[in-house]
Amino acid sequence: MNATVALTGATGFIGKHIAEHLLAAGFIVRALTRSPEKSADRRLAWVHGSLESSDSLRELVRGADSVVHCAGRVRGQSQAAFMTSNVTGSTRLLEMAKENSCCKRFLFISSLAARHPHLSWYAHSKYVAEQRLTAEKGPLALGIFRPTAVYGPGDKELQPLFRWLLRGLLLRLGQPQTQLSFLHVCDLAHAVIRWLQHHDAAAGPYELCDGLPGGYSWPRLREIGAAVRHGPVRLVGIPLPVLRLLAHLSQALQRISRKEPMLTQSKIGELTHPDWSASNQLLSERIDWAPTIRLEQALRDELF
Ligand SMILES: NC(=O)c1ccc[n+]([C@@H]2O[C@H](COP(=O)([O-])OP(=O)(O)OC[C@H]3O[C@@H](n4cnc5c(N)ncnc54)[C@H](OP(=O)(O)O)[C@@H]3O)[C@@H](O)[C@H]2O)c1
């Protein structure tokens, strides 16, 4: 019989791709959803509920051999909100997985940000979640993935940066000397499948990126943009005071629109951090995975 995976976050950007890859690899997928309108795909067995509800999480993991925990709060106004979703929600799901005797593996989609927990509420919450899951995993084989900035079809965060790059304008949000890294969502989904299928589900944490040694500098990104569009690219730095002002405006707008802001004063810590380079070495050695899509190719082939 095919193995069953309980997946959270399947209504979001990355989770949708993981669900597609799981189905293509022959897994049966049980998926958590908070919104009926986002869960029309009948190939998945949807379980209604959220990370806040033990009952729905118990139902989600029923009969599952593995859990892929991809749901997470990526925007928000307070440390408490990040902790509730990313820490308490994750440990609640782990508890339910431990109660279920079929369940052997638990993969947590953390973030490269967890490498620097002091930078933002988000980074801190992912780091604390990793620590708590590691301490409380019991007999489960726990895996922790720390993907860098992920892009691909359905992404809304990086897509504007790349669209503008291909129109000839690169907006530099961080410091001039920052090293960045990126990962195509299909490569991340492949890594999830490899980890689930590999006989040795060692924990990590594992960094994941597209494998360009040393990562991307802003001038390198400009060069890539220019090569792909066959034309010049202007690199324009956004000064820190302007970034701070934009964060104030975004937080004020949130109070009117009631939408969670991505750009907050807390997020600026991440944006201005100088080193977001990453290494696949550990994961590649453990599960024989390697990324296949470099950013330049993705921009040329419009894989985003
Ligand atoms: N995108 C990146 O560059 C990146 C990089 C590294 C790590 N990650 C991690 O990857 C994961 C997915 O990110 P994403 O970019 O795909 O974000 P996304 O598009 O915002 O998706 C987030 C998913 O989590 C679900 N979710 C959030 N809070 C929940 C809760 N309390 N209960 C149940 N479901 C909840 C959302 O459900 P709704 O659809 O109902 O909102 C959605 O399915 C996150 O854990 C994020 O930290 C992302």
Side-chain angles (χ1 to χ4, degrees), residues 8-15 32-35 38 49-52 69-74 85-86 108-112 122 126 146-151 155 157-158:
T8 67
T11 55
F13 157 52
I14 294 175
L32 187 68
T33 178
R34 301 192 284 192
S35 359
K38 288 188 189 170
S50 74
L51 294 175
E52 285 70 44
H69 178 31
C70 181
R73 177 182 281 276
V74 294
S85 303
N86 294 347
F108 176 48
I109 306 298
S110 180
S111 165
L112 191 61
Y122 171 71
K126 285 291 197 180
R146 286 181 171 177
T148 185
V150 182
Y151 69 95
D155 158 52
E157 310 301 339
L158 286 171

Side-chain angles (χ1 to χ4, degrees), residues 213-224:
Y216 297 81
S217 64
W218 288 102
R220 178 80 187 110
L221 270 186
R222 178 172 60 179
E223 278 169 27
I224 290 174

Side-chain angles (χ1 to χ4, degrees), residues 38-300:
K38 288 188 189 170
S39 40
D41 187 340
R42 289 172 172 250
R43 296 170 304 160
L44 279 65
W46 292 100
V47 174
H48 290 265
S50 74
L51 294 175
E52 285 70 44
S53 153
S54 297
D55 287 345
S56 58
L57 297 182
R58 188 176 291 112
E59 175 59 16
L60 177 73
V61 301
R62 193 163 53 84
D65 307 278
S66 308
V67 173
V68 175
H69 178 31
C70 181
R73 177 182 281 276
V74 294
R75 45 180 79 218
Q77 277 274 48
S78 70
Q79 168 116 324
F82 281 97
M83 296 299 274
T84 302
S85 303
N86 294 347
V87 180
T88 315
S90 299
T91 51
R92 189 177 286 121
L93 177 61
L94 182 83
E95 276 315 304
M96 295 307 131
K98 275 165 39 182
E99 269 184 20
N100 164 15
S101 57
C102 314
C103 194
K104 304 287 180 245
R105 293 185 180 206
F106 188 105
L107 180 60
F108 176 48
I109 306 298
S110 180
S111 165
L112 191 61
R115 195 173 71 183
H116 308 288
H118 60 288
L119 289 181
S120 67
W121 296 324
Y122 171 71
H124 178 72
S125 69
K126 285 291 197 180
Y127 172 76
V128 176
E130 289 183 358
Q131 298 295 304
R132 292 277 304 276
L133 293 174
T134 304
E136 297 169 24
K137 71 184 182 64
L140 286 178
L142 174 71
I144 296 173
F145 277 10
R146 286 181 171 177
T148 185
V150 182
Y151 69 95
D155 158 52
K156 295 195 185 83
E157 310 301 339
L158 286 171
Q159 199 190 58
L161 182 81
F162 296 151
R163 291 254 173 259
W164 278 108
L165 175 63
L166 297 185
R167 284 181 201 134
L169 178 64
L170 179 57
L171 290 178
R172 175 170 53 70
L173 299 174
Q175 303 176 38
Q177 68 279 20
T178 302
Q179 285 303 112
L180 304 157
S181 55
F182 301 98
L183 176 67
H184 194 275
V185 68
C186 288
D187 279 331
L188 172 54
H190 275 136
V192 169
I193 307 293
R194 289 286 307 160
W195 187 86
L196 289 172
Q197 290 177 333
H198 202 266
H199 60 89
D200 173 19
Y206 301 108
E207 296 182 0
L208 295 90
C209 66
D210 77 358
L212 189 80
Y216 297 81
S217 64
W218 288 102
R220 178 80 187 110
L221 270 186
R222 178 172 60 179
E223 278 169 27
I224 290 174
V228 173
R229 73 187 294 271
H230 302 294
V233 171
R234 263 187 82 201
L235 177 57
V236 177
I238 301 189
L240 189 56
V242 175
L243 212 51
R244 291 208 182 285
L245 181 67
L246 289 174
H248 274 303
L249 288 174
S250 142
Q251 286 180 271
L253 266 178
Q254 181 271 338
R255 283 189 275 278
I256 302 164
S257 69
R258 301 206 167 274
K259 280 192 179 156
E260 296 282 18
M262 176 57 94
L263 184 61
T264 58
Q265 299 302 327
S266 169
K267 196 75 185 172
I268 287 176
E270 280 176 48
L271 289 175
T272 54
H273 183 67
D275 182 14
W276 287 115
S277 59
S279 166
N280 296 318
Q281 191 180 347
L282 190 58
L283 188 62
S284 297
E285 282 170 6
R286 290 276 167 82
I287 64 166
D288 190 25
W289 165 85
T292 57
I293 305 172
R294 288 269 166 91
L295 181 62
E296 182 162 354
Q297 183 202 336
L299 293 177
R300 281 188 201 286

